[in-house]
Structure formats: structure tokens, C-alpha cells
Amino acid sequence: MESLKILTLLSVCNLFFTGSNAEVYLQEEIAALKLILPLVNQSLYREYMRSDPFLITYLRTSNLQLQEASDMILKTMKWRQDHRIDEIVNEVIPIEKEMPYDLRTVDWEGRPVYSMKIAEWDLRKYTLSGKAYDAHRVGMKIMEQVGNLIRHYAKLHPTNNHNITKVTALVDLNGYSWKLHACPECLRLSENILVDIEAHWPQICANFLFFNSPRIFEVTITVLKAFMDYTMKNGLHTYG
């Protein structure tokens, strides 16, 4: 956990010197926000889902195309109910203790920081032992916790709530192994998690920072970039 504290400090310094990531709504985005709510309002079953910070991510992902954004939102609502996402934070997932992570830190703008050590995650073991679904579900649980924390911190700082809409992710790649983390089954698990993040928590990642990155990770990240939208790609940084 000590190394994660160091990584967190480094990430805060990095964000401090790269400037603010404040959310600014353009006039066309404001207009689109007014138009999209009536199209999806009946399917939005939580109050936060009617908020601008929630809706704007789907609009931006669809380049302000109302029909496409509406379809994405409606699919997310059905997906959340089909997969019991609203209850997942309290769900006991057997494999979760084998996939430790930390969400106790915030960056300098008050946004939550997700951190983990890749050496503590054995993706090959999960997939070969028939636990890929559970591992995937842990990923969804993490994302739902992240979304809850974003809204929690935004309420704590209401004058700054347009800044607190995303998460910073820190991954310590010390111990990264081609066999344990980049096997075909491992990549498929990572791809499936990324696909769900992009579809149901779009544009949630402000910065995705990888530390202690070995050369072989360049191949992995090239594959995974195919499943990332432009905002995640822009926020992605690797450090050797």
C-alpha cells in the first residue's frame, strides 16, 4: 500500500502541473441537454440520472446526436437492471478479495482516485478457473463505487461540482507478466470490462496513469486502445 501512496502523490503533482480539467458546457451542449431529457426521462429511475453531468457524457460520446445518445442511455438503463448494478456495491463477490484496489484518495480537484497493483491481480487464474464472470463483475462494482464517490464529492463541494465528474486511475505495473496479464483470455477479460465501462460509464476517466511500465505492456495497451474512446486515450499516460 506504501507504493500506492507514492503513486497517488505523483499523480496529484502531475495533475497540478498540467492545469485544471474543469468542465465547461458549450452553448450547443446546453441546448442538447434541454432536448434530451424529455426523450429519456421516463426511463431514468434515479434522480442523479436526470442531472447534466450524467447526461452530458452520453451526448459528448455521441457528438451531440440526440437519437444516438438517447439509445445509449436507454440501453444503459436496461443493462443496469438486467445485471443488478444498483445492488452491486453491497454484493459479496467471492473473487473480490483476490483483486484488491483502493478508492480512499482524491486528487487536487477533489475527484476520486482509483489505484491498484497489477501484481496482485492474476487474470490468467481467474479465466482458467471459470471465474472470468466474477472478475468482470468486480470491475463493474469498482465502477459503480467510483460513480457513487463522484456524486458524493460533488455534493461536498457544490461550487466545484462541474469539476468533480470523473476519476483518476492509477495502475502500478510492477510485476506485469505476459503470461498472467496478457494471455488471450486475459486480454478478452480486460476488453469486456472496457467495453462495459465505455458503454455505461462513458467519459468517466479523466486520467489513466500506468507506472513502472515494462516494454511488453506497450503491446497490451495498443490492443486495449481499440476499446477506448478519445477521452480515455487522451488521458492515458505510461511511465517506465
Side-chain angles (χ1 to χ4, degrees), residues 3-132:
S3 66
L4 288 182
K5 292 180 181 178
I6 296 173
L7 291 182
T8 300
L9 177 61
L10 288 172
S11 74
V12 171
C13 291
N14 177 75
L15 291 173
F16 181 80
F17 288 113
T18 53
S20 173
N21 289 296
E23 290 279 353
V24 178
Y25 294 165
L26 303 176
Q27 287 299 316
E28 53 266 35
E29 292 178 334
I30 295 172
L33 283 167
K34 293 178 180 178
L35 294 172
I36 195 170
L37 186 55
L39 299 178
V40 297
N41 189 46
Q42 289 187 342
S43 298
L44 304 178
Y45 58 92
R46 294 282 186 270
E47 189 58 35
Y48 77 83
M49 296 173 177
R50 298 182 175 89
S51 68
D52 289 351
F54 179 84
L55 296 171
I56 195 64
T57 59
Y58 293 90
L59 284 167
R60 286 174 174 169
T61 300
S62 65
N63 292 317
L64 303 185
Q65 298 300 307
L66 291 176
Q67 188 60 57
E68 183 179 344
S70 299
D71 290 344
M72 288 178 63
I73 292 170
L74 295 177
K75 287 179 182 177
T76 291
M77 297 302 106
K78 184 178 186 305
W79 177 85
R80 289 183 64 88
Q81 294 177 24
D82 289 347
H83 295 275
R84 309 182 313 281
I85 300 300
D86 293 289
E87 294 81 39
I88 200 170
V89 169
N90 298 317
E91 181 178 327
V92 178
I93 305 173
I95 201 175
E96 187 171 8
K97 291 183 179 180
E98 300 177 38
M99 301 174 69
Y101 57 92
D102 193 279
L103 283 169
R104 295 174 295 176
T105 310
V106 297
D107 67 22
W108 78 290
E109 289 190 352
R111 297 175 301 203
V113 173
Y114 161 76
S115 54
M116 58 86 75
K117 298 179 182 180
I118 195 65
E120 297 177 333
W121 287 34
D122 189 337
L123 301 185
R124 179 180 174 84
K125 175 184 174 182
Y126 309 151
T127 57
L128 295 184
S129 61
K131 297 180 179 178

Side-chain angles (χ1 to χ4, degrees), residues 157-174:
H157 307 283
T159 59
N160 196 38
N161 67 354
H162 274 192
N163 289 358
I164 307 175
T165 59
K166 301 180 185 296
V167 63
T168 291
L170 291 171
V171 179
D172 183 355
L173 291 174
N174 186 35

